[in-house]
């Protein structure tokens, strides 16, 4: 398969990251050192990109070499056509998100609930920030309760639980905002 989009739960990305690290650890000392150098180079370049800056010519050359020798092989394992991954269902560990960023695979995080037709927030390609779930999707209202609980409203938010008025009243207040239970 040669996917261009890969939606998965964070555990999938964690397992891939641990497999990459295991392969680096099991490599010869030379290859392991090469991968470590590629990782350090990628981390410097990724940090600059996240800060809105462009790497200088020397770092770009080092990055091109690291990409050709190390990271392109990892991307090839995904079929070589992967544009970005999507992660939801739980928080993606920052170290895992950073590793994929270094490799050159953006993993876009999102947030949502079944009661809000799954996704309510999502990072956009080219505008993603590591460790965030992104802005609300169009048509989704979001606000915080006094205790920091996330409240959602909009046409994608459900009207209530079937034949369970008590449970519905517990999550949908008189104002119609869904109490997510998440702070």
């Amino acid at each position: 398969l040669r996917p261009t989009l890969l939606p998965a739960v964070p555990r999938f990305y964690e397992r891939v990251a641990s497999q990459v690290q295991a392969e680096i650890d099991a490599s010869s000392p030379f290859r392991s050192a090469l991968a470590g150098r590629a990782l350090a180079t990628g981390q410097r370049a990724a940090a600059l990109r996240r800060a809105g800056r462009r790497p200088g010519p020397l770092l770009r050359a080092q990055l091109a070499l690291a990409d050709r020798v190390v990271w392109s092989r990892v991307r090839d394992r995904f079929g070589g056509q992967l544009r970005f991954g999507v992660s939801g269902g739980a928080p993606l560990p920052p170290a895992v998100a950073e590793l994929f960023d270094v490799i050159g695979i953006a993993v876009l995080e999102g947030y949502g609930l079944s009661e809000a037709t799954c996704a309510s927030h999502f990072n956009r390609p080219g505008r993603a920030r590591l460790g965030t779930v992104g802005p609300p999707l169009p048509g989704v209202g979001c606000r915080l309760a006094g205790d920091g609980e996330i409240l959602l409203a909009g046409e994608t938010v459900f009207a209530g639980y079937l034949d369970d008025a008590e449970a519905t009243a517990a999550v949908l207040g008189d104002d119609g905002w869904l109490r997510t239970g998440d702070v």
Side-chain angles (χ1 to χ4, degrees):
L1 297 176
R2 298 166 52 103
T4 57
L5 169 68
L6 182 60
V9 295
R11 183 68 186 129
F12 169 81
Y13 294 107
E14 290 173 35
R15 287 193 52 142
V16 170
S18 68
Q19 288 175 351
V20 167
Q21 188 60 54
E23 286 188 28
I24 290 171
D25 294 344
S27 297
S28 69
F30 173 76
R31 290 179 72 105
S32 184
L34 186 64
R37 180 75 176 199
L39 180 59
T41 299
Q43 287 171 329
R44 286 196 319 270
L48 287 171
R49 283 193 309 269
R50 286 191 299 272
R53 296 175 42 210
R54 185 179 160 147
L58 178 60
L59 184 55
R60 282 197 312 267
Q62 292 171 334
L63 189 60
L65 180 62
D67 186 70
R68 182 179 182 131
V69 174
V70 179
W71 303 129
S72 63
R73 293 175 182 222
V74 176
R75 287 195 309 273
D76 286 347
R77 291 233 176 124
F78 287 101
Q81 301 296 314
L82 188 59
R83 291 181 46 224
F84 53 87
V86 173
S87 179
L92 184 66
V96 173
E98 183 176 294
L99 175 65
F100 276 90
D101 191 37
V102 166
I103 291 170
I105 299 172
V107 178
L108 307 175
E109 295 179 75
Y111 168 79
L113 302 162
S114 298
E115 292 86 352
T117 316
C118 201
S120 62
H121 293 70
F122 190 71
N123 270 304
R124 305 324 195 266
R127 294 186 0 206
R129 288 183 27 218
L130 294 182
T132 70
V133 296
L137 292 170
V140 175
C142 180
R143 69 180 187 196
L144 298 178
D147 62 356
E149 181 180 15
I150 300 169
L151 307 177
L152 301 175
E155 291 189 20
T156 62
V157 174
F158 82 143
Y161 296 109
L162 182 64
D163 298 328
D164 197 342
E166 187 176 320
T168 298
V171 297
L172 288 179
D174 295 333
D175 56 6
W177 286 79
L178 172 66
R179 275 111 184 104
T180 65
D182 293 326
V183 177

